Amino acid sequence: MAVSPEAVLKDLKAKKFAPIYFLQGDEPYYIDLITDFIEKNAIPEFERGFNQLVLYGKDSPVSTILNNARKFPMMAERQLVIVKEAQSIPDLGKEEAQKLLVSYLTNPLPSTILVFAYKHKKLDGRSSLKKELEKKSVFVESEKIKDWKLTEWVDGYFKDLGHQIEPKASQLLADSIGNNLEVLTNEVGKM
């Protein structure tokens, strides 16, 4: 079952890290937000040189990703492996690679945090890989905010920042920018 991005962020802020995160969906805002939070907070800065690895999907077959995830951290409690642009992993659609990933899901290395940032796409809902990911990882589906819920989202975003916004201003902001949350938060940040 998919977990809400807000619930994942709440756990991360409480320093509760899971061994595997699979972040997918049409809205990249939450995928980037969760990935960046993990990248900045899972490992102390002085340990990152040896224990943090960022891979890119197009350059990393599943076997390479899992080989890195199976390494033990160097003089540290944990290591972090982030796979950005995971939707471009060349062999993720192949049965052999999926079997390798499911095998790792069954028995992940507890000292590794493995994060897949699978943006602008979703895994096939009928696939056994998606079903296993939902059961054995922190699985987040980041959906686009519906237009009719956008003003409510803007109000909540301002509240989280510790500010208030007038309903007309919230509506104007939502109407003029639309439901691209990255652009919306960037414009609010300029204020």
Side-chain angles (χ1 to χ4, degrees):
M1 190 69 154
V3 182
S4 75
E6 294 84 3
V8 172
L9 286 166
K10 183 179 178 185
D11 284 348
L12 292 174
K13 288 176 184 173
K15 302 261 186 228
K16 295 178 186 173
F17 295 99
I20 303 169
Y21 292 86
F22 196 89
L23 317 169
Q24 76 164 8
D26 300 325
E27 180 54 65
Y29 173 75
Y30 284 113
I31 295 170
D32 290 337
L33 189 67
I34 293 169
T35 302
D36 291 344
F37 189 91
I38 293 171
E39 190 171 359
K40 291 176 184 165
N41 297 288
I43 295 178
E45 191 170 347
F46 64 91
E47 293 178 357
R48 291 182 190 157
F50 291 111
N51 295 307
Q52 183 168 306
L53 179 64
V54 177
L55 302 170
Y56 288 86
K58 66 180 178 159
D59 302 325
S60 307
V62 171
S63 60
T64 301
I65 295 165
L66 296 180
N67 285 339
N68 283 298
R70 286 188 177 106
K71 292 179 183 175
F72 288 98
M74 186 176 287
M75 297 180 287
E77 181 182 344
R78 64 172 79 111
Q79 74 158 346
L80 174 62
V81 177
I82 297 174
V83 184
K84 294 187 175 183
E85 300 170 10
Q87 71 278 4
S88 301
I89 296 172
D91 59 347
L92 190 60
K94 297 182 179 162
E95 187 176 339
E96 185 178 323
Q98 289 183 2
K99 283 182 182 177
L100 286 173
L101 187 52
V102 168
S103 173
Y104 183 80
L105 288 169
T106 304
N107 191 20
L109 192 65
S111 60
T112 297
I113 299 171
L114 177 59
V115 180
F116 291 93
Y118 194 91
K119 295 201 275 189
H120 306 291
K121 281 181 140 181
K122 293 181 184 178
L123 291 173
D124 181 1
R126 301 165 295 180
S127 72
S128 61
L129 176 61
K130 182 179 184 225
K131 291 174 185 170
E132 289 298 313
L133 282 165
E134 284 181 321
K135 286 183 206 169
K136 298 178 180 170
S137 72
V138 175
F139 188 84
V140 176
E141 282 202 47
S142 182
E143 301 286 338
K144 288 268 188 203
I145 303 291
K146 305 288 185 219
D147 289 335
W148 56 274
K149 283 188 154 191
L150 196 54
T151 55
E152 180 183 322
W153 188 90
V154 170
D155 292 340
Y157 182 71
F158 269 86
K159 187 176 180 182
D160 290 345
L161 293 175
H163 301 291
Q164 290 182 339
I165 185 170
E166 294 288 324
K168 285 184 181 181
S170 178
Q171 186 65 49
L172 181 63
L173 197 58
D175 289 345
S176 62
I177 295 175
N179 67 350
N180 184 335
L181 299 184
E182 286 181 300
V183 173
L184 189 72
T185 55
N186 190 31
E187 294 302 316
V188 168
K190 291 178 184 177
M191 288 187 213

